[in-house]
Amino acid sequence: MADEKFLVVGGGIGGLVTALSLARYGIGSHVVEQAEAFGEIGAGLQLAPNASRILNWLGVLDRVMEDAFFPKRLMLMDAMNGNELTALPVGPSFVQRYGFPYFVTHRADLHSALFEACEKEPLIKLSAGKHVVGIEDQGEQIAVSFSDGTVASTNALIGADGINSTIRRHLIDDGEPVATGFVAYRGTVSVDAVKQAMGTDELSDMVIWIGPGLHLVQYPVRRGELCNQVAVFHSANFEAGAKEWGTPEELDATFAQTCAHVANSAKLMNRERRWTMFDRPPHAGWSQGNVTLVGDAAHPMFQYLAQGACQAMEDAVVLAKALAKNSDARKAFVDYEQERFPRASMVQIRARLFGEFLHIGGTMAAMRNYLLEKRQDEDFSDVDWLYAYSAIGD
Ligand SMILES: Cc1cc2nc3c(=O)[nH]c(=O)nc-3n(C[C@H](O)[C@H](O)[C@H](O)COP(=O)(O)OP(=O)(O)OC[C@H]3O[C@@H](n4cnc5c(N)ncnc54)[C@H](O)[C@@H]3O)c2cc1C
């Protein structure tokens, strides 16, 4: 008999939402996390209605919203001249349309709300400091080896171990994630510092400033006390084949070309750490035998549509529903992938395309801006496909 019926590898947003979704159907699981403590690094996170409806279904939405910030609009602004290009209002008419809100939160706030909910749930066991180094298919069971030398057995294994997934490597032989020369600097700074840099008294929107090969995302988090900033740019050093690329000097040089609001805000970025942007093209095969993948392990995507965590949540719900319908995990895992692969692949592909749309320059940028400026604010037709989707099925 296996030690665990369901072992979830990775205690990020995907792993915790998977455990909570399974528990919603009375299915117990054990979540193992390599870090010494469960937590999230990084800064802000946008959560669209396709995710907030899931948090509501899990009973954690009110808790998550306590510390959240509710932007009035999602804005695209021209980073070079400071002009508004288009805005999507996410106030009452948006909430009425999709049934659930669009909000922004600090990752740590979301993660701790999920973690608290997991801790309260008797069907969920949580273990930190457990780094999975290998798995072995033993037919009915999977043997899971940890870096501390211990081995556990499980009837079914769910890899929620992120973009550099060990579990994915066991299932799919498609090399390393793909870098295209974009790098991100991200972090929270005081809202007052950003207001000063922007020369404004109010920060009430989620704003993306776009320019050739660059963008800057800005939105308040933690009830509006902090401002999350993500500065992304394409590195000339990467193109030149340099070993060191995406450096703080390149950040400064790139954003020095933008309008004063954007350039001043970019100067506030913390330079201690930077994130290379990776994705993969869609690849089927997440479910093989009694092993499957969720979240970035299954379908890592660029963050341009702000959907990676939202998609991980959708995976979790569909996986739990499949297991509730079919107690044979092998069959349920296949059903899960069949339902999720088209949707997650579409988001992966469109995230990449949206990045190209944001980053174009020259005449093409002028054409893009012309089209964006013609768009009506209350036209939701471009986002219905993404936000109206319900993984829960109502
Ligand atoms: C700059 C940026 C901005 C983003 N903004 C948004 C946004 O606004 N909205 C949105 O929805 N998404 C956003 N995303 C994407 C989102 O952050 C990810 O898609 C999401 O966090 C993926 O969750 P996950 O649980 O699948 O993986 P992860 O968050 O990577 O979690 C994986 C977990 O597994 C653990 N782990 C890894 N390997 C092992 C192992 N071998 N053994 C045990 N544990 C292991 C890790 O320590 C980690 O805790 C953004 C991403 C970036 C880079």
Side-chain angles (χ1 to χ4, degrees), residues 28-338:
S29 63
H30 183 183
V31 184
V32 289
E33 165 58 43
Q34 65 183 2
E36 287 308 317
F38 282 80
E40 256 283 340
I41 51 164
L45 200 66
Q46 303 175 53
L47 292 173
N50 56 316
S52 51
R53 74 165 62 231
I54 292 171
L55 295 175
N56 180 60
W57 179 74
L58 293 174
V60 294
L61 182 62
D62 289 344
R63 169 74 185 80
V64 175
M65 289 198 314
E66 278 170 23
D67 296 316
F69 183 82
F70 295 82
K72 287 188 184 147
R73 298 173 298 174
L74 311 185
M75 310 272 303
L76 282 183
M77 305 281 290
D78 190 321
M80 310 317 279
N81 60 20
N83 289 345
E84 176 179 333
L85 296 172
T86 193
L88 185 80
V90 288
S93 60
F94 180 94
V95 177
Q96 195 179 19
R97 186 177 186 89
Y98 297 114
F100 290 90
Y102 195 110
F103 61 91
V104 291
T105 179
H106 201 291
R107 277 167 189 265
D109 296 343
L110 171 66
H111 192 275
S112 56
L114 295 171
F115 185 67
E116 278 166 33
C118 286
E119 274 188 313
K120 281 190 204 139
E121 174 53 67
L123 287 167
I124 300 175
K125 192 170 148 196
L126 300 157
S127 303
K130 298 297 287 180
H131 176 208
V132 174
V133 288
I135 63 172
E136 191 192 333
D137 188 347
Q138 298 180 330
E140 283 310 299
Q141 296 182 5
I142 305 283
V144 183
S145 317
F146 296 94
S147 56
D148 58 10
T150 57
V151 178
S153 59
T154 181
N155 293 116
L157 185 114
I158 300 165
D161 51 344
I163 190 159
N164 295 309
S165 168
T166 302
I167 310 305
R168 181 189 175 101
R169 267 196 296 278
H170 179 83
L171 301 180
I172 302 172
D173 179 21
D174 65 346
E176 295 303 312
V178 186
T180 53
F182 279 90
V183 66
Y185 285 76
R186 56 178 167 156
T188 51
V189 285
S190 99
V191 139
D192 290 338
V194 176
K195 282 183 183 163
Q196 204 179 352
M198 306 288 295
T200 178
D201 291 336
E202 206 197 351
L203 287 181
S204 55
D205 297 318
M206 194 296 296
V207 183
I208 313 182
W209 300 87
I210 60 177
L214 65 89
H215 74 263
L216 175 78
V217 181
Q218 285 181 320
Y219 53 81
V221 289
R222 211 156 268 166
R223 302 169 298 276
E225 292 154 20
L226 295 171
C227 182
N228 181 62
Q229 294 205 120
V230 188
V232 175
F233 65 95
H234 187 258
S235 160
N237 285 354
F238 174 86
E239 286 308 320
K243 205 166 160 229
E244 258 305 89
W245 60 273
T247 59
E249 293 71 32
E250 280 185 90
L251 170 76
D252 291 334
T254 306
F255 281 90
Q257 304 161 40
T258 58
C259 68
H261 291 343
V262 177
N264 291 340
S265 302
K267 283 187 194 141
L268 301 172
M269 297 305 310
N270 183 334
R271 280 113 211 282
E272 276 167 25
R273 189 170 167 197
R274 59 183 187 265
W275 281 262
T276 300
M277 305 283 84
F278 289 108
D279 81 340
R280 289 179 185 276
H283 197 303
W286 316 343
S287 294
Q288 294 182 33
N290 40 5
V291 182
T292 194
L293 304 171
V294 296
D296 278 5
H299 43 67
M301 58 184 68
F302 285 128
Q303 79 277 17
Y304 306 133
L305 289 176
Q307 276 287 320
C310 301
Q311 290 304 303
M313 292 186 204
E314 290 185 2
D315 289 344
V317 174
V318 173
L319 177 60
K321 277 196 318 188
L323 283 164
K325 269 198 208 130
N326 199 333
S327 59
D328 180 340
R330 290 165 183 266
K331 290 191 182 136
F333 285 177
V334 169
D335 292 345
Y336 151 71
E337 181 177 347
Q338 265 176 6

